[in-house]
Amino acid sequence: MKLLTTSELATLFSISKHTIRHYIDIDLLTPKERRDNGYFFFDEENVYRLYQIIVLRNIGYSLKTIKTVLTEEDVAHYFLEAEQNLQKKIDELLAIKNTVQNIIQAQERYKL
């Protein structure tokens, strides 16, 4: 795989270059290469790590927690826990949706 620039990596994940630089600054992401001109270049391992960071961030983990998570050998249990939390939220939202639908039906039926 060819090395990607910060701009290419940002485009790939639809995030800003600033976000990537921030991840570098806080040692969450370590580029494969840094050239004399200050440009960063990223390899496949960096792409996978950034993918993990973005997914964990979207799930709701803080950057501090993500940094800790990614130092562990096995991160699968974090994703399993996140999946369970997401399912719980989905179930809660479905219950709310059902309640709203019941209210709408009652309003139509009884002209409240």
Side-chain angles (χ1 to χ4, degrees):
M1 175 182 180
K2 82 172 193 129
L3 296 179
L4 301 175
T5 65
T6 303
S7 182
E8 291 170 327
L9 194 61
T11 300
L12 181 66
F13 286 100
S14 299
I15 60 174
S16 71
K17 293 185 285 186
H18 174 76
T19 299
I20 293 172
R21 283 192 220 101
H22 179 65
Y23 293 163
I24 293 167
D25 290 343
I26 63 171
D27 295 323
L28 195 53
L29 184 65
T30 305
K32 177 70 175 171
E33 250 181 63
R34 181 174 187 173
R35 303 244 170 106
D36 293 337
N37 60 7
Y39 287 4
F40 296 111
F41 289 87
F42 304 89
D43 64 2
E44 192 172 329
E45 184 178 323
N46 297 134
V47 170
Y48 181 67
R49 184 171 176 96
L50 182 57
Y51 178 72
Q52 288 179 314
I53 293 167
I54 290 170
V55 169
L56 290 166
R57 192 77 178 116
N58 287 337
I59 289 169
Y61 288 106
S62 70
L63 292 177
K64 183 179 179 181
T65 302
I66 292 170
K67 193 172 182 179
T68 302
V69 167
L70 293 179
T71 60
E72 296 182 18
E73 274 189 40
D74 182 24
V75 298
H77 67 281
Y78 288 97
F79 288 102
L80 290 172
E81 179 183 320
E83 180 185 29
Q84 292 168 350
N85 291 338
L86 288 170
Q87 187 59 54
K88 183 179 176 184
K89 287 179 185 178
I90 289 168
D91 294 343
E92 290 170 357
L93 288 172
L94 286 173
I96 293 169
K97 180 182 175 187
N98 286 336
T99 301
V100 169
Q101 288 174 334
N102 290 337
I103 291 169
I104 291 169
Q105 288 173 359
Q107 280 186 320
E108 290 172 354
R109 195 171 322 144
Y110 300 112
K111 303 290 184 210
L112 299 175

